[in-house]
Every structure is written in C-alpha cells, then in structure tokens.
C-alpha cells in the first residue's frame, strides 16, 4: 500500500453535543446482566463477552449485591490485572456503597505470602520477561513435584552431598526460601520445564543467572563489618548495588509467591498434614482472568472460603500478557475450584461506536477485507510533528477530551513522549496506571490500558515491524482499538501493519 502523505486529523465531537459519559456502574442493566447479578450467593459465575460489553459492570454490581445482602459482614476482595484498573474500580465500588479491597494479583499474592512465610526478603521491582515466562508456565508443576519429594531446601546446600545429621530441621515447616534456589538453580530441572513449555534454551540461562543473583549477598551485607556506615553509601546516596548487575541480590520475585504456596501444598499433603492456612475470603471477584497463570489461579482458588462466592470475568481475545498462556475457560475455573459454575455471555456492546467495532473485529478475526487508513511517515520525528499539530488542534476544539497514545513497546512510548514534548504537546508518560480523566495526552503501552476507556485512541506505531500478522499482535491491537469511545487514529513509519492494511 503506498504511503499516505495526508496529515493526521481528528473528528472531535462538538462540546455542545457531548453527552456525559456514564461510569461502569452508572448504567441501565440489560436483562442478561441482571440475571447474572441476581444469581444465588455461593454460585460461581463466569462472565464472558467482547471488549466494551459490560463484563466489569456485571462483576462490580454482583459484588455490590452480595456485599449488601450479607449485612456488610462479607470478607471480600476484587483482583484486577493493572494498577490503572485498581484506581478505576475502587472508587466505583465506593460509589455503590461497598467497602471492598481491590488489588492487582501481585499485591494480593505478596500479602498472602508474607502472612504465611516468615523472613522473605524484599520483592524485586523488575523480573525479566523470559524469567517470568518460565516461572508462570504450567509445565513448572513437573519440577515442583520433584522438589516436593525432598526435604525443605537449605540455601547453598548440595542436595547430592551426604546429609549432616547435626543440622536442625523444623518438622512443621513444609517449605523454605531455599527451595526456590534448589528449584530455579537446577539446570536439569529447568531444561525439562523449558522443553515441556516449548521455551527457548536462553530462558534457562536467564533463570539460572537470575537465581544466582537473587541468592547472592548484597554488598552492604558482605561489608557489614565496616563500622563507618557512611562508607557503604554510594556518592549519589543510593545503595551500592542499586542500578548494578547485583541490584537484585537477596530478593524474591512476585512470581515466586504462587510457587511457594504450590510447593508447600504438595509437601504438606505428602506428609499427611494440612497446607498452610491462607487468609480466606467469602467473596472473590477476578477481572480479566485470562491473564493469570495456572499457579496464580490455584492460589486465588485456595483463598476462597468454603461456600464462598466466586465471580470471574474475561475475554480470551484480550489475552495480551505474553509471559503467560491461556488454556481455556474450563481450565481457568478448575484451577479456581469453580468447576460447577454458571456462564453468562454478554452480547450487547456499550463502549465503542460501530465503525470502531468493525475495525476491531476485523483485526481480531483476521478478516481479509480490512483496509484501515494508516498514515505513514518517513521517520518518528516527522510523525511526532504531524501528530503534535493534530493533537493540539483537537485539544483546542475539545478541551474535555481524554486522549491516549497506545504503543506496542515501552521504548517507543518513551521516544514519542520526548518528541511530543518538544512539539509543545501537553503530554505525560504513564506506566503506573495513574491515568487522568482528561486534559493531557497520555502515552502508554497496551498492557496499561486494559479495562480502561478513552474518547480518542492513537496507535502511532501501526507498522508491519511492530504489529506483525501473528495472534499475539492481533489480540494486543484489538485491545488498543477497543479502548476508544469515539475515534481511533493509526500512524506509522515505514510499511503499515498487515493487521490493518492488505
């Protein structure tokens, strides 16, 4: 397809014609939604539907109904995939008169783990994607079963060496942090897991190196005999290891928490004992459940009290987390312990206008007749200059508009944020879920906007390089497009993505 030389433009809604956008809970429920919300307490519910069809609306209203029916004595938790959704859902629930905790899964798992396991080190702030893929793999259970057949591990202990009988053992403890070293530091075990999960060999090397660093000693600890503590602080005031290759020494990954719980459960059952008690919830609601790994789902399922209510929502076509795999909704509900459940499929869309829905479905389904208008530029500087002019015009004409620029990769978002800033566009980079309702152009990546909505969406890297014709890219593009309440604009450098142009 030839390059389009025309400038980028938006078709803003006239302020006089703009209607107030209702919140996810300030809506009139259709009969299908009402029927799902009014199911008896204790009945597990799975809510499915396309983007913008009201899955989260049903989940929140069901939580509110069950919480009010219990006399407000219900121990309840809502688990969502991103901090942006935490910030959206928490006030919506309060608006419904409901006082329920809302967490991302990582925060939920951390609270459970630090309540059950003592002396865990601080949590690392960045797990490499390759390491996450292995630690979240369903195939990891093969290795966990082998480790569960051994006694609790001791850090730096050689499992093949003769045991020293003088070493004290705590019979009541079924797991230790040393088990993580014995698991993720075992090349043979990790190679078997990688092969079973069809992961490349480099993943094994990354996991072994990550484990070596995490079970190493921090510089401060290694030099703890130095009495002048000021000498153990870098000249910039940070810890000596911060920002270095050993910056993650003596840490634990968020992905390790479900592994510890699964290992403890297996080992306890082998010993004929009860697994470690978890903080139990009478009501557990899980949004966008397609993003969770099997061990994570299992931990959530064990956190549901006997006879408790389970609410799950999701859409397989919106599975965008490439560090986990989706194995179908039956598998999800089995891991959660909700095998006997009701399923509600929502058929009516509420968020996107028909033109946007048409493009989103064509991208999702791989339709050959999609031929969306993708504006192509020679380089990013030219793209940013033209996009900047269009955005400034839009914000002048429609000051209350919410605009998001959604990139495939974080590095693209960072570059574009810098270029738009130089072009005088009031813009901000968002990687922590702290989106504003309007006023500034917000630049982010697909994973951050899941479950959210904006008036205008810009996909500035819609090129064949960044969005190839493959399932993961289709799902990610589908999510990006379906965030729009009004309009989507595509741009790129080089050849447009085959997902949008044939």
């Amino acid at each position: 397809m030839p390059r389009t030389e025309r400038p980028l433009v938006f078709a803003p809604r006239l302020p006089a014609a703009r209607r107030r956008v209702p919140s996810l809970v300030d809506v009139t429920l259709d009969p299908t939604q009402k029927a799902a919300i009014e199911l008896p307490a204790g009945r597990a519910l799975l809510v499915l539907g396309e983007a913008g069809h009201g899955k989260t609306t049903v989940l929140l209203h069901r939580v509110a109904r069950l919480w009010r029916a219990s006399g407000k004595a219900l121990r309840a938790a809502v688990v969502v995939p991103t901090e942006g959704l935490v910030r959206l859902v928490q006030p919506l629930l309060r608006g419904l008169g409901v006082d329920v905790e809302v967490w991302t899964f990582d925060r939920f798992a951390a609270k459970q783990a630090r309540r059950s396991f003592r002396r865990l080190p601080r949590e690392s702030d960045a797990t490499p994607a390759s390491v996450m893929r292995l630690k979240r793999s369903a195939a990891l259970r093969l290795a966990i079963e082998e480790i569960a057949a051994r006694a609790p591990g001791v850090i730096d202990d050689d499992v093949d060496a003769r045991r020293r009988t003088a070493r004290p053992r705590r019979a009541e403890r079924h797991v230790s942090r040393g088990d993580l070293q014995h698991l993720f530091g075992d090349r043979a075990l990790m190679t078997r897991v990688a092969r079973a999960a069809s992961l490349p060999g480099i993943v094994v090397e990354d996991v072994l190196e990550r484990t070596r660093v995490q079970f190493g000693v921090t510089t401060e600890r290694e030099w703890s005999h130095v009495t002048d503590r000021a000498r153990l602080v870098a000249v910039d005031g940070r810890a000596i290891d911060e920002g270095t290759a050993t910056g993650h020494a003596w840490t634990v990954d968020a992905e390790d928490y479900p592994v510890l719980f699964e290992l403890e459960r297996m080992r306890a059952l082998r010993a004929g004992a009860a697994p470690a008690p978890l903080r139990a919830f009478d009501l557990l609601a899980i949004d966008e459940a397609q993003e969770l790994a099997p061990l994570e789902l299992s931990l959530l399922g064990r956190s549901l009290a006997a006879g408790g209510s389970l609410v799950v929502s999701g859409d397989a076509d919106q599975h965008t987390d490439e560090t986990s795999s989706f194995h179908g909704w039956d598998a999800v509900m089995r891991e959660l312990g909700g095998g006997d459940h009701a399923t509600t499929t929502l058929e009516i869309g509420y968020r996107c206008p028909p033109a946007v829905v048409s493009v989103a479905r064509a991208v999702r389904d791989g339709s050959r007749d999609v031929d969306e208008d993708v504006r192509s530029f020679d380089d990013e500087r030219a793209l940013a200059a033209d996009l900047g002019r269009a955005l400034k015009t839009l914000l002048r004409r429609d000051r209350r508009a919410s605009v998001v620029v959604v990139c495939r990769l974080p590095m693209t978002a960072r570059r574009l944020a810098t270029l738009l800033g130089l072009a005088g566009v009031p813009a901000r980079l968002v990687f922590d879920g702290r989106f504003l309702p309007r006023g500034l152009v917000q630049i982010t990546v697909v994973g951050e906007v899941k479950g959210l909505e904006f008036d205008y969406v810009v996909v500035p890297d819609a090129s064949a390089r960044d969005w190839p014709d493959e399932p993961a890219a289709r799902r990610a593009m589908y999510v990006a497009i379906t965030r729009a309440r009004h309009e989507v604009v595509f741009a790129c450098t080089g050849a447009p993505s085959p997902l949008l142009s044939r």
Side-chain angles (χ1 to χ4, degrees):
M1 180 178 178
R3 292 187 178 183
T4 305
E5 301 298 340
R6 290 174 293 121
L8 284 164
V9 293
F10 294 88
R13 286 176 288 184
L14 295 176
R18 178 191 292 277
R19 61 181 177 86
R20 185 180 68 86
V21 177
S23 72
L24 293 178
V25 296
D26 184 21
V27 294
T28 301
L29 301 172
D30 64 46
T32 303
Q33 292 174 323
K34 286 182 179 179
I37 291 165
E38 294 171 359
L39 283 172
R43 180 74 160 135
L45 171 65
L46 172 63
V47 185
L48 304 178
E50 295 182 45
H53 278 51
K55 298 183 298 296
T56 304
T57 296
V58 171
L59 180 142
L60 296 180
H61 275 281
R62 176 142 176 88
V63 168
R65 182 178 183 276
L66 293 173
W67 192 80
R68 287 194 293 262
S70 70
K72 303 181 180 180
L74 207 66
R75 294 169 297 175
V78 177
V79 178
V80 298
T82 65
E83 286 294 339
L85 268 176
V86 171
R87 293 170 61 83
L88 172 67
V89 167
Q90 189 78 73
L92 291 178
L93 284 170
R94 289 174 181 159
L96 289 170
V98 177
D99 185 15
V100 170
E101 295 175 284
V102 182
W103 292 315
T104 61
F105 174 79
D106 287 351
R107 290 185 60 194
F108 178 91
K111 286 179 177 292
Q112 291 284 39
R114 295 185 184 278
R115 183 175 180 270
S116 298
F117 308 125
R118 296 188 302 167
R119 293 188 294 275
L120 287 177
R122 67 181 175 87
E123 185 178 308
S124 64
D125 56 4
T127 308
S130 59
V131 176
M132 291 176 66
R133 290 176 67 190
L134 188 143
K135 290 189 175 184
R136 302 183 73 200
S137 168
L140 188 61
R141 275 198 170 110
L142 302 172
I144 294 176
E145 288 177 358
E146 183 166 328
I147 296 293
R150 309 174 187 172
V154 177
I155 295 176
D156 291 334
D157 195 18
D158 185 353
V159 295
D160 297 320
R162 179 178 297 179
R163 294 291 181 185
R164 292 173 290 176
T165 57
R167 182 182 296 115
R169 292 288 185 186
R170 292 181 57 188
E172 72 276 13
R173 186 180 66 180
H174 300 296
V175 72
S176 73
R177 181 171 172 261
D179 286 316
L180 295 176
Q181 187 187 45
H182 289 212
L183 174 64
F184 295 121
D186 189 320
R187 179 181 292 275
L189 274 180
M190 292 299 97
T191 300
R192 282 162 46 192
V193 171
R195 287 174 179 169
S198 300
L199 297 175
I202 189 63
V203 169
V204 175
E205 302 302 324
D206 291 345
V207 170
L208 295 175
E209 175 60 18
R210 177 74 169 181
T211 304
R212 183 192 68 78
V213 171
Q214 288 190 303
F215 283 87
V217 178
T218 64
T219 301
E220 287 82 1
R221 187 170 179 178
E222 183 179 5
W223 293 87
S224 59
H225 59 279
V226 176
T227 57
D228 185 1
R229 308 304 297 175
R231 299 179 67 184
L232 298 180
V233 179
V235 294
D236 58 3
R238 299 188 297 174
I240 297 176
D241 291 322
E242 188 175 348
T244 70
T246 58
H248 296 285
W250 210 252
T251 64
V252 64
D253 290 331
E255 294 73 26
D256 292 333
Y257 301 136
V259 174
L260 286 173
F261 277 110
E262 182 67 6
L263 178 56
E264 195 277 338
R265 184 189 69 83
M266 288 185 179
R267 198 173 273 155
L269 294 178
R270 281 176 172 270
L278 294 166
R279 182 185 176 191
F281 296 89
D282 303 308
L283 169 60
L284 191 60
I286 306 166
D287 196 23
E288 305 287 358
Q290 74 276 355
E291 304 293 7
L292 294 169
L295 292 181
E296 297 165 355
L297 292 166
S298 177
L299 173 56
L300 287 167
R302 290 178 57 194
S303 302
L304 182 65
S309 297
L310 177 66
V311 189
V312 182
S313 72
D315 177 10
D317 291 321
Q318 295 187 64
H319 173 236
T320 59
D321 191 336
E322 298 182 29
T323 66
S324 68
S325 299
F326 177 70
H327 301 286
W329 289 112
D330 287 342
V332 167
M333 298 307 288
R334 276 198 308 272
E335 291 285 1
L336 290 168
D340 180 20
H341 64 274
T343 300
T344 295
T345 302
L346 305 177
E347 303 289 351
I348 302 175
Y350 295 95
R351 178 192 301 149
C352 305
V356 172
V357 171
S358 176
V359 174
R361 287 176 175 172
V363 168
R364 180 195 64 188
D365 300 335
S367 173
R368 300 297 301 183
D369 60 0
V370 62
D371 194 13
E372 187 63 17
D373 187 11
V374 182
R375 312 297 174 87
S376 186
F377 298 85
D378 291 329
D379 54 55
E380 277 188 348
R381 188 174 294 277
L383 186 155
D386 193 274
L387 177 59
R389 286 190 292 270
L391 288 171
K392 285 188 286 188
T393 300
L394 169 66
L395 293 176
R396 280 197 304 268
R397 297 179 60 187
D398 195 356
R399 295 183 181 277
R400 296 172 57 196
S402 61
V403 184
V404 67
V405 178
V406 183
C407 303
R408 184 84 192 273
L409 300 174
M411 64 180 69
T412 307
R414 291 191 177 95
R415 290 198 306 268
L416 197 56
T418 300
L419 292 173
L420 287 177
L422 294 174
V425 177
R428 62 193 293 265
L429 198 62
V430 183
F431 288 151
D432 58 0
R434 297 179 179 274
F435 291 97
L436 300 176
R438 64 183 63 85
L440 297 176
V441 174
Q442 302 179 93
I443 306 165
T444 187
V445 292
V446 175
E448 291 291 330
V449 296
K450 184 175 290 293
L452 306 179
E453 55 187 50
F454 305 85
D455 292 324
Y456 300 92
V457 172
V458 181
V459 181
D461 56 352
S463 65
R465 178 187 62 253
D466 291 318
W467 301 87
D469 191 351
E470 59 185 30
R474 287 191 178 281
R475 294 192 298 269
M477 180 68 82
Y478 174 73
V479 170
I481 294 171
T482 53
R483 301 309 97 196
R485 290 190 293 248
H486 181 56
E487 184 183 3
V488 182
V489 172
F490 302 96
C492 71
T493 57
S497 168
L499 303 181
L500 297 166
S501 176
R502 299 295 178 187

